[in-house]
Amino acid sequence: MLLEFKTKNYKSFADEMIFSMMPAPKQKGLDYSIQTEKIGSKLYKGLSSAVIYGPNASGKTNIIGAMDTMKAIVQRGNIRNSDMFFSPNAASSSLELIPNCNGGTNVPTVFSVKFIEASFLIEYSLEIELGEFMDKDFPRKIIEEKLVINGKEIYVRNDRLSINIPSLIKPYLNKGIKNNTSKLKDIAESSLNPTELFLNNGFKSIYTGRLFEIISEWFENKFVVIYRSDAIRTMRNFADPKEDTIYVEKILTEAARMFGVTSNTLGYKPTNKEDEVVLCSIFKNKNVAIAAEAFESYGTIRFINEFPLVINVMLNGGTLIMDEFDASIHPMALMNLINIFHNDDININHAQLIFNTHNPIFLNASLFRRDEIKFVERDDMTGNSSHYALSDFKTADGVRKGEDYMNNYFVNRYGAIKDIDFSDLFEKIISNKEEC
């Protein structure tokens, strides 16, 4: 369960941006969408969902991009560039694209995440020096790396290494290690590399591979970040896949029929690329199957590609973060999916959904709590983004339960909206054409 994500000096977010999935104080209503986890004697609460609003180019996608970039860095274990492009987010592999381009000074970039996994409250943070925007040759350096579990500092890495072994992690230590001896610390400190994470290297190999696996498993399989939803790759694993065989997906077909697909069955045909498949529409009466993209609507394809992701996080208790999750999908289907995340009887594994949107229908007090409605706006003078939640406003600003959030948003009570008028531009275009 994701509780909090922070970043600083990531693209348009020059200042610290805190994206909280913890309930704001003094918020009433929709209490069924609050998830609880007990760690020791403390009870932690998390939101089931969040929706992010803001005009085009405000920085909404930069929040998702920062999450995606931190995930990529942790997965590869270093702050060097990568030639492996698994994400359409170029900054996750070419880190010189990260620093804010308006400052012109060498400011460190910060990533920090707080989450609950395997009965641990885990806080992991990175402060890295990347130079200025587009400085490819800057000698990169990890300024600080910190791991805190259940409120206990496990290690802080900077030029030196400070490491502790509290009793809570002793059962997870590598074989043969009982205490944090000075000799062990010296070995770990000598393994430090300015561009490599201690988490993936010395901490894993010297101290505890099991704890590393818990953390890396969360980043790999439960922190599901889709930077661009139109770039989702269809992938499935099949045991010993057979050539020219189509594997029917019964659950997906049933969901697609509820969505509106009535004339055919859906299935996957393996390709010669590892784990990659082609989604097919199967016409049993004609005994033929064709690529779904050649027959189904764009909205149907979007739904079919997204639905397995929802199933995955529901079963595993993951957090699905997606750019424009709602694009081309009917509002009734979307609202039902959101209500599934809010349903305590179904969402028993504490799955979460976070997405950005331009669709105002989610500005609804009966669908989202005030602390689940987030905004991003960009300063026209500095070009920098800021982020806040509807719950940050006082009731005098029109955020009482039962208020018309949609109307208030469009009359600019909450900010994160831009008045756009192309009339003068088109008058100029037409005038220039007549002069020609």
mmCIF file of all heavy atoms in Angstrom, residues 9-49:
data_model
loop_
_atom_site.group_PDB
_atom_site.id
_atom_site.type_symbol
_atom_site.label_atom_id
_atom_site.label_comp_id
_atom_site.label_asym_id
_atom_site.label_seq_id
_atom_site.Cartn_x
_atom_site.Cartn_y
_atom_site.Cartn_z
ATOM 1 N N ASN A 9 13.060 18.809 -7.817
ATOM 2 C CA ASN A 9 13.883 19.044 -9.002
ATOM 3 C C ASN A 9 13.689 17.932 -10.029
ATOM 4 O O ASN A 9 14.640 17.423 -10.614
ATOM 5 C CB ASN A 9 15.368 19.193 -8.651
ATOM 6 C CG ASN A 9 16.189 19.704 -9.837
ATOM 7 O OD1 ASN A 9 15.707 20.490 -10.640
ATOM 8 N ND2 ASN A 9 17.433 19.254 -9.939
ATOM 9 N N TYR A 10 12.425 17.572 -10.237
ATOM 10 C CA TYR A 10 12.081 16.652 -11.321
ATOM 11 C C TYR A 10 11.245 17.434 -12.338
ATOM 12 O O TYR A 10 10.094 17.796 -12.074
ATOM 13 C CB TYR A 10 11.305 15.439 -10.828
ATOM 14 C CG TYR A 10 10.989 14.467 -11.955
ATOM 15 C CD1 TYR A 10 11.883 13.446 -12.266
ATOM 16 C CD2 TYR A 10 9.851 14.616 -12.743
ATOM 17 C CE1 TYR A 10 11.623 12.579 -13.326
ATOM 18 C CE2 TYR A 10 9.589 13.766 -13.806
ATOM 19 C CZ TYR A 10 10.484 12.744 -14.083
ATOM 20 O OH TYR A 10 10.245 11.895 -15.148
ATOM 21 N N LYS A 11 11.847 17.756 -13.454
ATOM 22 C CA LYS A 11 11.187 18.490 -14.527
ATOM 23 C C LYS A 11 10.525 19.761 -13.987
ATOM 24 O O LYS A 11 11.187 20.614 -13.419
ATOM 25 C CB LYS A 11 10.221 17.572 -15.280
ATOM 26 C CG LYS A 11 10.934 16.446 -16.035
ATOM 27 C CD LYS A 11 10.018 15.742 -16.990
ATOM 28 C CE LYS A 11 10.762 14.720 -17.830
ATOM 29 N NZ LYS A 11 9.906 14.069 -18.842
ATOM 30 N N SER A 12 9.198 19.893 -14.140
ATOM 31 C CA SER A 12 8.543 21.146 -13.754
ATOM 32 C C SER A 12 8.386 21.308 -12.243
ATOM 33 O O SER A 12 8.020 22.388 -11.775
ATOM 34 C CB SER A 12 7.168 21.254 -14.423
ATOM 35 O OG SER A 12 6.319 20.201 -14.015
ATOM 36 N N PHE A 13 8.670 20.251 -11.472
ATOM 37 C CA PHE A 13 8.579 20.352 -10.012
ATOM 38 C C PHE A 13 9.952 20.731 -9.451
ATOM 39 O O PHE A 13 10.742 19.880 -9.060
ATOM 40 C CB PHE A 13 8.079 19.038 -9.401
ATOM 41 C CG PHE A 13 6.617 18.789 -9.658
ATOM 42 C CD1 PHE A 13 6.209 17.945 -10.676
ATOM 43 C CD2 PHE A 13 5.655 19.430 -8.895
ATOM 44 C CE1 PHE A 13 4.862 17.734 -10.934
ATOM 45 C CE2 PHE A 13 4.302 19.229 -9.139
ATOM 46 C CZ PHE A 13 3.912 18.377 -10.166
ATOM 47 N N ALA A 14 10.211 22.040 -9.440
ATOM 48 C CA ALA A 14 11.489 22.521 -8.916
ATOM 49 C C ALA A 14 11.541 22.377 -7.403
ATOM 50 O O ALA A 14 12.557 21.984 -6.836
ATOM 51 C CB ALA A 14 11.692 23.989 -9.309
ATOM 52 N N ASP A 15 10.432 22.688 -6.737
ATOM 53 C CA ASP A 15 10.358 22.564 -5.282
ATOM 54 C C ASP A 15 9.829 21.184 -4.915
ATOM 55 O O ASP A 15 9.345 20.435 -5.769
ATOM 56 C CB ASP A 15 9.443 23.655 -4.713
ATOM 57 C CG ASP A 15 9.954 25.052 -5.015
ATOM 58 O OD1 ASP A 15 11.191 25.238 -4.994
ATOM 59 O OD2 ASP A 15 9.132 25.941 -5.294
ATOM 60 N N GLU A 16 9.896 20.866 -3.638
ATOM 61 C CA GLU A 16 9.447 19.542 -3.188
ATOM 62 C C GLU A 16 7.959 19.337 -3.478
ATOM 63 O O GLU A 16 7.127 20.195 -3.176
ATOM 64 C CB GLU A 16 9.702 19.360 -1.692
ATOM 65 C CG GLU A 16 9.318 17.967 -1.208
ATOM 66 C CD GLU A 16 9.568 17.769 0.269
ATOM 67 O OE1 GLU A 16 8.972 18.511 1.082
ATOM 68 O OE2 GLU A 16 10.363 16.873 0.624
ATOM 69 N N MET A 17 7.633 18.221 -4.086
ATOM 70 C CA MET A 17 6.263 17.831 -4.360
ATOM 71 C C MET A 17 5.936 16.618 -3.509
ATOM 72 O O MET A 17 6.636 15.610 -3.559
ATOM 73 C CB MET A 17 6.102 17.496 -5.846
ATOM 74 C CG MET A 17 4.665 17.259 -6.317
ATOM 75 S SD MET A 17 3.935 15.646 -5.895
ATOM 76 C CE MET A 17 5.051 14.511 -6.686
ATOM 77 N N ILE A 18 4.903 16.706 -2.674
ATOM 78 C CA ILE A 18 4.484 15.602 -1.811
ATOM 79 C C ILE A 18 3.136 15.099 -2.295
ATOM 80 O O ILE A 18 2.134 15.821 -2.245
ATOM 81 C CB ILE A 18 4.390 16.029 -0.336
ATOM 82 C CG1 ILE A 18 5.726 16.595 0.149
ATOM 83 C CG2 ILE A 18 3.962 14.852 0.529
ATOM 84 C CD1 ILE A 18 5.682 17.158 1.561
ATOM 85 N N PHE A 19 3.119 13.868 -2.784
ATOM 86 C CA PHE A 19 1.872 13.232 -3.215
ATOM 87 C C PHE A 19 1.473 12.237 -2.132
ATOM 88 O O PHE A 19 2.098 11.193 -1.971
ATOM 89 C CB PHE A 19 2.059 12.516 -4.552
ATOM 90 C CG PHE A 19 0.774 12.034 -5.172
ATOM 91 C CD1 PHE A 19 0.069 12.857 -6.042
ATOM 92 C CD2 PHE A 19 0.272 10.790 -4.872
ATOM 93 C CE1 PHE A 19 -1.127 12.426 -6.609
ATOM 94 C CE2 PHE A 19 -0.914 10.344 -5.419
ATOM 95 C CZ PHE A 19 -1.616 11.164 -6.290
ATOM 96 N N SER A 20 0.435 12.585 -1.383
ATOM 97 C CA SER A 20 0.053 11.776 -0.227
ATOM 98 C C SER A 20 -1.151 10.891 -0.536
ATOM 99 O O SER A 20 -2.134 11.341 -1.128
ATOM 100 C CB SER A 20 -0.281 12.685 0.959
ATOM 101 O OG SER A 20 -0.728 11.913 2.059
ATOM 102 N N MET A 21 -1.052 9.639 -0.136
ATOM 103 C CA MET A 21 -2.175 8.716 -0.187
ATOM 104 C C MET A 21 -2.660 8.395 1.217
ATOM 105 O O MET A 21 -3.348 7.381 1.436
ATOM 106 C CB MET A 21 -1.773 7.444 -0.932
ATOM 107 C CG MET A 21 -1.600 7.623 -2.427
ATOM 108 S SD MET A 21 -3.126 8.121 -3.289
ATOM 109 C CE MET A 21 -4.039 6.567 -3.248
ATOM 110 N N MET A 22 -2.325 9.264 2.162
ATOM 111 C CA MET A 22 -2.822 9.130 3.528
ATOM 112 C C MET A 22 -4.002 10.074 3.717
ATOM 113 O O MET A 22 -3.981 11.207 3.218
ATOM 114 C CB MET A 22 -1.715 9.437 4.536
ATOM 115 C CG MET A 22 -0.585 8.428 4.520
ATOM 116 S SD MET A 22 0.719 8.760 5.732
ATOM 117 C CE MET A 22 1.586 10.107 4.930
ATOM 118 N N PRO A 23 -5.065 9.657 4.408
ATOM 119 C CA PRO A 23 -6.237 10.512 4.585
ATOM 120 C C PRO A 23 -5.882 11.822 5.278
ATOM 121 O O PRO A 23 -5.103 11.838 6.226
ATOM 122 C CB PRO A 23 -7.168 9.663 5.463
ATOM 123 C CG PRO A 23 -6.709 8.259 5.275
ATOM 124 C CD PRO A 23 -5.235 8.333 5.049
ATOM 125 N N ALA A 24 -6.436 12.905 4.769
ATOM 126 C CA ALA A 24 -6.253 14.201 5.405
ATOM 127 C C ALA A 24 -7.095 14.260 6.673
ATOM 128 O O ALA A 24 -8.133 13.588 6.774
ATOM 129 C CB ALA A 24 -6.652 15.318 4.450
ATOM 130 N N PRO A 25 -6.686 15.038 7.661
ATOM 131 C CA PRO A 25 -7.468 15.125 8.900
ATOM 132 C C PRO A 25 -8.806 15.833 8.682
ATOM 133 O O PRO A 25 -8.950 16.652 7.772
ATOM 134 C CB PRO A 25 -6.552 15.947 9.827
ATOM 135 C CG PRO A 25 -5.663 16.724 8.909
ATOM 136 C CD PRO A 25 -5.468 15.849 7.710
ATOM 137 N N LYS A 26 -9.765 15.476 9.505
ATOM 138 C CA LYS A 26 -11.077 16.147 9.546
ATOM 139 C C LYS A 26 -11.851 16.040 8.239
ATOM 140 O O LYS A 26 -12.598 16.945 7.866
ATOM 141 C CB LYS A 26 -10.903 17.618 9.935
ATOM 142 C CG LYS A 26 -10.256 17.835 11.297
ATOM 143 C CD LYS A 26 -10.106 19.299 11.612
ATOM 144 C CE LYS A 26 -9.431 19.495 12.966
ATOM 145 N NZ LYS A 26 -9.235 20.933 13.300
ATOM 146 N N GLN A 27 -11.693 14.927 7.539
ATOM 147 C CA GLN A 27 -12.465 14.691 6.322
ATOM 148 C C GLN A 27 -13.564 13.682 6.616
ATOM 149 O O GLN A 27 -13.306 12.619 7.170
ATOM 150 C CB GLN A 27 -11.561 14.154 5.205
ATOM 151 C CG GLN A 27 -10.432 15.086 4.832
ATOM 152 C CD GLN A 27 -10.921 16.395 4.269
ATOM 153 O OE1 GLN A 27 -11.672 16.439 3.306
ATOM 154 N NE2 GLN A 27 -10.503 17.488 4.883
ATOM 155 N N LYS A 28 -14.783 14.020 6.256
ATOM 156 C CA LYS A 28 -15.911 13.142 6.520
ATOM 157 C C LYS A 28 -16.490 12.636 5.201
ATOM 158 O O LYS A 28 -16.453 13.306 4.188
ATOM 159 C CB LYS A 28 -16.980 13.886 7.316
ATOM 160 C CG LYS A 28 -16.534 14.312 8.701
ATOM 161 C CD LYS A 28 -17.643 15.042 9.434
ATOM 162 C CE LYS A 28 -17.184 15.474 10.824
ATOM 163 N NZ LYS A 28 -18.244 16.212 11.553
ATOM 164 N N GLY A 29 -17.069 11.448 5.271
ATOM 165 C CA GLY A 29 -17.708 10.873 4.091
ATOM 166 C C GLY A 29 -16.820 9.877 3.374
ATOM 167 O O GLY A 29 -15.605 9.958 3.405
ATOM 168 N N LEU A 30 -17.454 8.920 2.713
ATOM 169 C CA LEU A 30 -16.768 7.874 1.956
ATOM 170 C C LEU A 30 -15.721 7.152 2.812
ATOM 171 O O LEU A 30 -14.632 6.845 2.354
ATOM 172 C CB LEU A 30 -16.107 8.448 0.698
ATOM 173 C CG LEU A 30 -17.047 9.074 -0.339
ATOM 174 C CD1 LEU A 30 -16.252 9.549 -1.551
ATOM 175 C CD2 LEU A 30 -18.128 8.117 -0.779
ATOM 176 N N ASP A 31 -16.067 6.887 4.056
ATOM 177 C CA ASP A 31 -15.109 6.219 4.941
ATOM 178 C C ASP A 31 -14.811 4.793 4.499
ATOM 179 O O ASP A 31 -13.803 4.215 4.901
ATOM 180 C CB ASP A 31 -15.639 6.219 6.385
ATOM 181 C CG ASP A 31 -15.674 7.618 6.989
ATOM 182 O OD1 ASP A 31 -14.864 8.446 6.545
ATOM 183 O OD2 ASP A 31 -16.506 7.864 7.867
ATOM 184 N N TYR A 32 -15.677 4.230 3.665
ATOM 185 C CA TYR A 32 -15.441 2.865 3.195
ATOM 186 C C TYR A 32 -14.236 2.789 2.264
ATOM 187 O O TYR A 32 -13.725 1.713 2.000
ATOM 188 C CB TYR A 32 -16.677 2.327 2.472
ATOM 189 C CG TYR A 32 -17.148 3.192 1.329
ATOM 190 C CD1 TYR A 32 -16.536 3.122 0.085
ATOM 191 C CD2 TYR A 32 -18.205 4.076 1.495
ATOM 192 C CE1 TYR A 32 -16.960 3.913 -0.963
ATOM 193 C CE2 TYR A 32 -18.644 4.870 0.452
ATOM 194 C CZ TYR A 32 -18.016 4.789 -0.781
ATOM 195 O OH TYR A 32 -18.437 5.575 -1.813
ATOM 196 N N SER A 33 -13.769 3.912 1.745
ATOM 197 C CA SER A 33 -12.625 3.879 0.832
ATOM 198 C C SER A 33 -11.291 4.032 1.554
ATOM 199 O O SER A 33 -10.260 4.211 0.928
ATOM 200 C CB SER A 33 -12.763 4.977 -0.226
ATOM 201 O OG SER A 33 -12.687 6.262 0.366
ATOM 202 N N ILE A 34 -11.308 3.948 2.870
ATOM 203 C CA ILE A 34 -10.082 4.034 3.661
ATOM 204 C C ILE A 34 -9.578 2.629 3.986
ATOM 205 O O ILE A 34 -10.322 1.780 4.477
ATOM 206 C CB ILE A 34 -10.318 4.808 4.982
ATOM 207 C CG1 ILE A 34 -10.750 6.234 4.675
ATOM 208 C CG2 ILE A 34 -9.060 4.810 5.832
ATOM 209 C CD1 ILE A 34 -9.734 7.034 3.908
ATOM 210 N N GLN A 35 -8.303 2.397 3.691
ATOM 211 C CA GLN A 35 -7.676 1.109 3.974
ATOM 212 C C GLN A 35 -6.828 1.226 5.235
ATOM 213 O O GLN A 35 -6.232 2.269 5.487
ATOM 214 C CB GLN A 35 -6.795 0.689 2.797
ATOM 215 C CG GLN A 35 -7.538 0.664 1.488
ATOM 216 C CD GLN A 35 -6.638 0.433 0.297
ATOM 217 O OE1 GLN A 35 -5.426 0.498 0.409
ATOM 218 N NE2 GLN A 35 -7.223 0.170 -0.845
ATOM 219 N N THR A 36 -6.777 0.175 6.021
ATOM 220 C CA THR A 36 -5.992 0.203 7.258
ATOM 221 C C THR A 36 -5.032 -0.980 7.315
ATOM 222 O O THR A 36 -5.352 -2.082 6.861
ATOM 223 C CB THR A 36 -6.905 0.165 8.498
ATOM 224 O OG1 THR A 36 -7.706 -1.020 8.473
ATOM 225 C CG2 THR A 36 -7.809 1.382 8.530
ATOM 226 N N GLU A 37 -3.858 -0.721 7.815
ATOM 227 C CA GLU A 37 -2.837 -1.758 8.032
ATOM 228 C C GLU A 37 -2.214 -1.522 9.403
ATOM 229 O O GLU A 37 -1.853 -0.388 9.734
ATOM 230 C CB GLU A 37 -1.741 -1.679 6.966
ATOM 231 C CG GLU A 37 -2.195 -2.062 5.577
ATOM 232 C CD GLU A 37 -1.963 -3.522 5.253
ATOM 233 O OE1 GLU A 37 -1.529 -4.253 6.173
ATOM 234 O OE2 GLU A 37 -2.212 -3.917 4.108
ATOM 235 N N LYS A 38 -2.079 -2.582 10.167
ATOM 236 C CA LYS A 38 -1.469 -2.472 11.489
ATOM 237 C C LYS A 38 -0.024 -2.941 11.424
ATOM 238 O O LYS A 38 0.273 -4.058 11.006
ATOM 239 C CB LYS A 38 -2.247 -3.294 12.518
ATOM 240 C CG LYS A 38 -1.884 -2.961 13.957
ATOM 241 C CD LYS A 38 -2.825 -3.630 14.946
ATOM 242 C CE LYS A 38 -2.508 -3.186 16.376
ATOM 243 N NZ LYS A 38 -3.411 -3.825 17.357
ATOM 244 N N ILE A 39 0.890 -2.064 11.833
ATOM 245 C CA ILE A 39 2.309 -2.386 11.896
ATOM 246 C C ILE A 39 2.728 -2.234 13.356
ATOM 247 O O ILE A 39 2.768 -1.122 13.878
ATOM 248 C CB ILE A 39 3.160 -1.447 11.015
ATOM 249 C CG1 ILE A 39 2.644 -1.416 9.578
ATOM 250 C CG2 ILE A 39 4.628 -1.858 11.060
ATOM 251 C CD1 ILE A 39 2.790 -2.715 8.829
ATOM 252 N N GLY A 40 2.998 -3.354 13.996
ATOM 253 C CA GLY A 40 3.271 -3.306 15.428
ATOM 254 C C GLY A 40 2.027 -2.859 16.161
ATOM 255 O O GLY A 40 0.941 -3.414 15.975
ATOM 256 N N SER A 41 2.148 -1.821 16.956
ATOM 257 C CA SER A 41 0.993 -1.304 17.696
ATOM 258 C C SER A 41 0.329 -0.129 17.005
ATOM 259 O O SER A 41 -0.663 0.409 17.491
ATOM 260 C CB SER A 41 1.442 -0.871 19.108
ATOM 261 O OG SER A 41 2.424 0.148 19.027
ATOM 262 N N LYS A 42 0.880 0.297 15.839
ATOM 263 C CA LYS A 42 0.364 1.479 15.151
ATOM 264 C C LYS A 42 -0.539 1.088 13.983
ATOM 265 O O LYS A 42 -0.273 0.126 13.267
ATOM 266 C CB LYS A 42 1.515 2.357 14.641
ATOM 267 C CG LYS A 42 2.315 3.025 15.749
ATOM 268 C CD LYS A 42 3.351 3.971 15.163
ATOM 269 C CE LYS A 42 4.131 4.683 16.265
ATOM 270 N NZ LYS A 42 5.145 5.613 15.710
ATOM 271 N N LEU A 43 -1.601 1.872 13.803
ATOM 272 C CA LEU A 43 -2.530 1.658 12.705
ATOM 273 C C LEU A 43 -2.288 2.726 11.634
ATOM 274 O O LEU A 43 -2.313 3.926 11.925
ATOM 275 C CB LEU A 43 -3.972 1.748 13.207
ATOM 276 C CG LEU A 43 -5.057 1.281 12.226
ATOM 277 C CD1 LEU A 43 -4.939 -0.230 11.997
ATOM 278 C CD2 LEU A 43 -6.439 1.640 12.772
ATOM 279 N N TYR A 44 -2.032 2.291 10.416
ATOM 280 C CA TYR A 44 -1.797 3.210 9.309
ATOM 281 C C TYR A 44 -2.972 3.154 8.338
ATOM 282 O O TYR A 44 -3.528 2.079 8.089
ATOM 283 C CB TYR A 44 -0.493 2.854 8.589
ATOM 284 C CG TYR A 44 0.727 3.059 9.442
ATOM 285 C CD1 TYR A 44 1.214 2.044 10.266
ATOM 286 C CD2 TYR A 44 1.394 4.281 9.442
ATOM 287 C CE1 TYR A 44 2.327 2.235 11.066
ATOM 288 C CE2 TYR A 44 2.518 4.478 10.233
ATOM 289 C CZ TYR A 44 2.973 3.459 11.042
ATOM 290 O OH TYR A 44 4.080 3.653 11.839
ATOM 291 N N LYS A 45 -3.321 4.317 7.813
ATOM 292 C CA LYS A 45 -4.455 4.414 6.901
ATOM 293 C C LYS A 45 -4.003 4.916 5.537
ATOM 294 O O LYS A 45 -3.116 5.759 5.445
ATOM 295 C CB LYS A 45 -5.510 5.372 7.471
ATOM 296 C CG LYS A 45 -6.148 4.889 8.764
ATOM 297 C CD LYS A 45 -7.205 5.870 9.254
ATOM 298 C CE LYS A 45 -7.863 5.370 10.530
ATOM 299 N NZ LYS A 45 -8.916 6.316 11.001
ATOM 300 N N GLY A 46 -4.640 4.376 4.497
ATOM 301 C CA GLY A 46 -4.323 4.790 3.146
ATOM 302 C C GLY A 46 -5.577 4.973 2.318
ATOM 303 O O GLY A 46 -6.608 4.337 2.578
ATOM 304 N N LEU A 47 -5.515 5.837 1.324
ATOM 305 C CA LEU A 47 -6.629 6.051 0.411
ATOM 306 C C LEU A 47 -6.662 4.956 -0.650
ATOM 307 O O LEU A 47 -5.631 4.438 -1.054
ATOM 308 C CB LEU A 47 -6.492 7.414 -0.268
ATOM 309 C CG LEU A 47 -6.467 8.637 0.654
ATOM 310 C CD1 LEU A 47 -6.130 9.900 -0.152
ATOM 311 C CD2 LEU A 47 -7.784 8.804 1.379
ATOM 312 N N SER A 48 -7.863 4.631 -1.101
ATOM 313 C CA SER A 48 -8.003 3.613 -2.142
ATOM 314 C C SER A 48 -7.737 4.163 -3.529
ATOM 315 O O SER A 48 -7.411 3.408 -4.447
ATOM 316 C CB SER A 48 -9.421 3.024 -2.110
ATOM 317 O OG SER A 48 -9.670 2.394 -0.892
ATOM 318 N N SER A 49 -7.911 5.476 -3.690
ATOM 319 C CA SER A 49 -7.791 6.038 -5.033
ATOM 320 C C SER A 49 -7.417 7.507 -4.968
ATOM 321 O O SER A 49 -7.485 8.140 -3.914
ATOM 322 C CB SER A 49 -9.124 5.881 -5.788
ATOM 323 O OG SER A 49 -10.159 6.552 -5.084
#
